[in-house]
Amino acid sequence: MKVWITRASPGAEATASRLAALGFTPLVLPLLEVRPLPAKVDLKGIDALVFTSINAVAAFAALSPDRGPRVFTVGDATARAAAEAGFTSICSADGNLTALAALIRTEARGLALLNPTAAKPAGDLAALVDTAARVLSVPVYETSETGNRPPDTWDTVLIHSPRAAHALAALGPTTEPRFACAISAAAAAPLSGLNFSEVRIAATPSEDALFGTLGKPGPAV
């Protein structure tokens, strides 16, 4: 099965490696690209960091050498990225933004948290946390569309975010019915007007669950 990966690098390459190990044929052709922003990161008075994506981890790591603060992450993939960047005290919500806010309300109540994030974040973490903790957001990267067209031949497409889904929807209907796999209902919603034979939604907002929607890779040819 040829699987089109639409997420931005370097996550696209990591996804491709995992898919290949499972027997799929990954096609890396991102619809999004990430650019770091020249942000100023000040950790004075900050008790912990909050990362909602691996892109945020990479951007922060390039801006600051400090790996001492405790880290809260939205999911396990982001937690792994934080560990690879050199952080040692990491707590993962293993879910979505709502799960992360719940984790913070439980484990970081009363703390001052720095949230390195995208210029246009997918959600308002501070609003979800409310008064349980103080969340200070600083944009450290921006995401834009690449303008790439679909691969010549592909069987299914992976959608890791609503932003990628909107970029895909902007390309218009596919030339023939195929199925799509989305990491969440929010990521699936922009695909409703396209001619996919089926849009499968992961049981939980994780890449492992997203892979589970693919089924078996099919026989080698």
Side-chain angles (χ1 to χ4, degrees), residues 4-78:
W4 176 16
I5 301 169
T6 60
R7 70 185 306 195
S9 296
E13 287 73 19
T15 297
S17 179
R18 295 189 67 198
L19 283 175
L22 292 172
F24 295 94
T25 300
L27 305 172
V28 177
L29 199 62
L31 293 178
L32 303 174
E33 60 183 350
V34 174
R35 298 189 184 95
L37 295 174
K40 293 184 178 179
V41 176
D42 185 2
L43 296 182
K44 184 177 180 180
I46 296 298
D47 299 305
L49 297 170
V50 181
F51 293 119
T52 55
S53 71
I54 62 174
N55 294 322
V57 174
F60 175 87
L63 292 168
S64 172
D66 197 336
R67 302 294 184 268
R70 186 181 181 188
V71 168
F72 294 91
T73 69
V74 69
D76 291 347
T78 305

Side-chain angles (χ1 to χ4, degrees), residues 42-43 45-51 60 68-72 87 89 91 104 107-108 111-116 133-136:
D42 185 2
L43 296 182
I46 296 298
D47 299 305
L49 297 170
V50 181
F51 293 119
F60 175 87
R70 186 181 181 188
V71 168
F72 294 91
F87 293 98
S89 180
C91 188
I104 291 171
E107 300 294 333
L111 300 185
L113 309 174
L114 184 67
N115 174 214
R134 186 161 61 99
V135 179
L136 305 174

